[in-house]
Amino acid sequence: MSKRAADPPVSPGRLKNHDREASDAPGSSNGSGASINPAMGEFEDQYEDEFESEVIEAGADGNPDPDSDAENGAERDVDGDTKMDDEADGSSGRRRSKEQEKEQVYLPSRRALGKDEVLEPDPSAYHMLHRMNVTWPCLSFDIIKDGLGDERRGYPATAYLVTGTQAERTNRNEIMVLKLSGLNKMPQDGDDDDDNDDDDSDTEDDPILESRSIPLTTTTNRIRVAPHSHTSPEKLVASMCESGDVLIHDIHPHILSFDTPGYTIPSASNRPLATLKMHQRTEGYAIDWSPLSQRGQLLTGDNNGRIFYTSRTADGGWKTDASPFTGHTGSVEEIQWSPTQPTIFASGSSDGTVKIWDLRSKKHRPQLSVDVSSSDINVMSWCRRVDFLLATGADDGVWGVWDLRTFPSSATGASISPTAQFTFHQQPITSIEFHPSEDSIVAVASADNTVTLWDLSVELDDEESRDTAGVEDVPPQLLFVHYMKEVKECHWHPQIPGTVVATGGEGFGIFKTISV
């Protein structure tokens, strides 16, 4: 993913509304960890093609371009490791010793890579691994549930996404609807390899990335798909824009065009169903659809600490309450609806607090408030399986899980202890999400260029969990560390068990590890 199809844009160095540079210390992709003393509670192809027009072939499973290798005088083995010719590297037959070539585990945020050091994923640690370039970096995306069925475990896999760009010029931005197909399983040692078929199937095993574009004149800070869109004729998408506007689109025609030969997307479909201006040009990032409302209920928060409630009217329009919910002294960074109570939601802020709200409150003030961090609360995830668990990720790299039953009945900002807390990451947490069906599994993305997978059910005294293959100070709850440059957001695919999709400064990654 070192190439880009357009003029090289400036990679996004900021995180949310804070001007920061992403850490240049990348992580490991082989499941290793770093030093931590957690306060843990108890729980029961890197083949890189360019993004072109509307249909492109994307890289898969670490298999490089043979033509490119030939030009560089290199040949590659089946695992994607480069072997230089004697003449090409001037070594006259000299080879590095096995000791020099020995693979080493790399711990993120602990040291910078050396000039000649390169991170390589361990193919045996993945069931599936693909990386795909797009024209511009994307800060946010969401997975579109489809009609292909749940619990899909076969290959090749297919996924639908929607994302918004952060282009070099604002008038070149767009919302992109993506279809990723032909996502094959990672080849493993011992798999049958029929060389006779290689010449006849050069591209049939390569993933395909198709896209449909909705032009915009502003950066998309965060984008979310309405949770019931897969059962509705409309596929509603809400985007929180840098301009302060909230846009609502119906992307059903764009999705339909992927699988309907000859279908032409009506030009009117690129126009939003609604443009909501209640934030009055104040930028924001927090946005969430109610998981319990079929007709559409939306919450949005901005940098002035205001939260607005918008709902669908009987005639298909949209109405926003004129009076916002107020109580935060900093920007509202994240909003999460309760998965079980239709009027309850939580918010996280740069003031370091998590607040619980009730739509029925006429004063529009928080019902509960808890101090959870001395830095900004960047992201949150409300567990869908256990409705009293809430995960938070902060700007100091600390993430934790909170038991809402322990929150005091106070709206003044009390302090409590988390059920679990981890300091493994030493850069800001950029995304966090509970697994959709396993309440103890959490995915965390960080500005240290890693996506980590965790299992909170692992006990500290579990003898097997203490075996970390010689790597010191690894939290036993840490399952996996995946490297991704400038990663901004990650989500579990709700219909392909164990599969994670993430976006970063160099495109998208989709992977499934042997750990989950």
Side-chain angles (χ1 to χ4, degrees):
M1 293 174 55
S2 59
K3 300 180 289 182
R4 194 172 299 285
D7 295 334
V10 178
S11 295
R14 61 178 185 166
L15 171 67
K16 297 195 162 199
N17 57 309
H18 315 289
D19 292 329
R20 298 184 185 83
E21 293 184 356
S23 169
D24 61 355
S28 164
S29 60
N30 60 5
S32 299
S35 60
I36 173 179
N37 292 312
M40 183 64 194
E42 291 195 16
F43 283 80
E44 256 314 91
D45 346 327
Q46 301 166 12
Y47 176 86
E48 302 161 352
D49 278 339
E50 302 297 334
F51 182 91
E52 299 174 355
S53 63
E54 296 206 338
V55 180
I56 68 167
E57 294 184 355
D61 303 344
N63 297 320
D65 185 346
D67 295 334
S68 174
D69 283 351
E71 292 174 2
N72 294 323
E75 62 176 306
R76 293 194 177 247
D77 61 16
V78 294
D79 292 327
D81 298 326
T82 303
K83 300 178 180 179
M84 300 301 297
D85 293 336
D86 292 344
E87 295 181 1
D89 64 8
S91 62
S92 300
R94 289 175 296 170
R95 302 288 184 181
R96 291 176 298 168
S97 67
K98 291 183 178 180
E99 290 76 16
Q100 290 173 317
E101 292 183 333
K102 184 178 180 180
E103 295 178 354
Q104 298 181 10
V105 171
Y106 181 78
L107 301 182
S109 297
R110 301 323 190 252
R111 69 174 180 87
L113 285 177
K115 181 179 179 181
D116 297 324
E117 290 181 313
V118 177
L119 287 178
E120 292 287 348
D122 180 359
S124 66
Y126 293 89
H127 289 306
M128 179 173 65
L129 174 62
H130 299 281
R131 295 190 297 183
M132 301 182 181
N133 266 359
V134 290
T135 309
W136 300 106
C138 301
L139 293 175
S140 178
F141 76 100
D142 205 0
I143 296 172
I144 305 169
K145 291 191 70 174
D146 53 54
L148 301 179
D150 297 331
E151 295 292 323
R152 305 201 300 264
R153 301 180 185 273
Y155 296 95
T158 298
Y160 295 84
L161 313 176
V162 62
T163 186
T165 62
Q166 186 185 41
E168 187 176 24
R169 298 179 181 177
T170 57
N171 61 358
R172 301 181 69 179
N173 277 298
E174 58 186 339
I175 289 175
M176 292 189 296
V177 185
L178 307 176
K179 178 184 179 182
L180 288 61
S181 58
L183 301 170
N184 284 294
K185 187 176 181 180
M186 194 78 170
Q188 303 290 341
D189 292 341
D191 289 350
D192 292 337
D193 184 14
D194 189 356
D195 295 334
N196 296 329
D197 294 336
D198 289 347
D199 295 336
D200 298 329
S201 58
D202 290 338
T203 60
E204 67 178 9
D205 291 334
D206 289 338
I208 301 296
L209 173 61
E210 303 171 74
S211 78
R212 303 292 184 263
S213 174
I214 300 174
L216 292 182
T217 58
T218 182
T219 294
T220 300
N221 287 344
R222 192 167 291 172
I223 191 167
R224 292 293 181 261
V225 179
H228 298 291
S229 287
H230 64 291
T231 60
S232 168
E234 293 180 314
K235 305 289 185 184
L236 298 180
V237 171
S239 51
M240 193 76 181
C241 299
E242 187 179 42
S243 64
D245 292 343
V246 178
L247 305 179
I248 299 177
H249 287 86
D250 177 12
I251 60 172
H252 175 70
H254 305 80
I255 298 173
L256 187 63
S257 68
F258 288 129
D259 305 308
T260 307
Y263 179 81
T264 301
I265 300 173
S267 58
S269 298
N270 288 337
R271 294 193 291 269
L273 297 178
T275 301
L276 309 178
K277 295 183 175 293
M278 61 280 194
H279 292 283
Q280 301 173 332
R281 298 188 178 277
T282 300
E283 186 178 11
Y285 290 81
I287 187 169
D288 198 29
W289 291 95
S290 168
L292 302 177
S293 172
Q294 295 281 349
R295 63 188 179 93
Q297 292 178 292
L298 186 69
L299 290 166
T300 54
D302 62 31
N303 290 351
N304 286 344
R306 300 174 300 173
I307 299 172
F308 285 92
Y309 168 69
T310 301
S311 60
R312 195 83 180 264
T313 60
D315 61 358
W318 298 88
K319 180 182 178 181
T320 301
D321 283 359
S323 175
F325 292 83
T326 57
H328 283 296
T329 58
S331 59
V332 179
E333 300 289 342
E334 180 71 284
I335 294 173
Q336 288 278 286
W337 285 85
S338 166
T340 58
Q341 301 183 63
T343 64
I344 304 299
F345 66 94
S347 62
S349 169
S350 60
D351 62 17
T353 68
V354 168
K355 299 184 187 299
I356 307 297
W357 313 73
D358 192 329
L359 290 177
R360 297 168 296 185
S361 169
K362 295 181 179 180
K363 296 182 179 180
H364 285 193
R365 301 291 294 179
Q367 305 299 300
L368 303 175
S369 181
V370 175
D371 294 323
V372 301
S373 177
S374 59
S375 65
D376 302 2
I377 301 299
N378 289 333
V379 288
M380 298 192 308
S381 177
W382 203 319
C383 183
R384 301 305 188 206
R385 305 285 294 182
V386 180
D387 64 359
F388 55 79
L389 294 180
L390 183 73
T392 61
D395 214 49
D396 57 6
V398 178
W399 74 273
V401 176
W402 308 82
D403 187 337
L404 297 178
R405 297 172 301 179
T406 67
F407 277 31
S409 300
S410 171
T412 58
S415 296
I416 64 171
S417 298
T419 300
Q421 185 167 282
F422 300 91
T423 59
F424 173 78
H425 292 288
Q426 298 180 0
Q427 296 291 326
I429 304 300
T430 62
S431 187
I432 191 167
E433 188 169 280
F434 276 102
H435 190 283
S437 59
E438 298 288 342
D439 55 60
S440 66
I441 305 295
V442 182
V444 179
S446 170
D448 64 12
N449 300 323
T450 64
V451 177
T452 53
L453 307 182
W454 302 76
D455 185 354
L456 304 181
S457 67
V458 175
E459 299 291 342
L460 289 173
D461 59 353
D462 186 341
E463 182 177 352
E464 184 177 352
S465 71
R466 293 197 297 268
D467 182 8
T468 57
V471 182
E472 297 180 354
D473 301 322
V474 175
Q477 294 80 15
L478 179 60
L479 295 178
F480 201 90
V481 182
H482 172 80
Y483 169 77
M484 187 171 186
K485 188 175 181 181
E486 296 179 1
V487 60
K488 297 299 181 183
E489 194 168 280
C490 66
H491 297 294
W492 297 96
H493 196 295
Q495 296 172 292
I496 309 177
T499 297
V500 178
V501 188
T503 182
E506 295 183 343
F508 284 87
I510 180 167
F511 63 93
K512 181 178 181 179
T513 76
I514 62 174
S515 301
V516 179

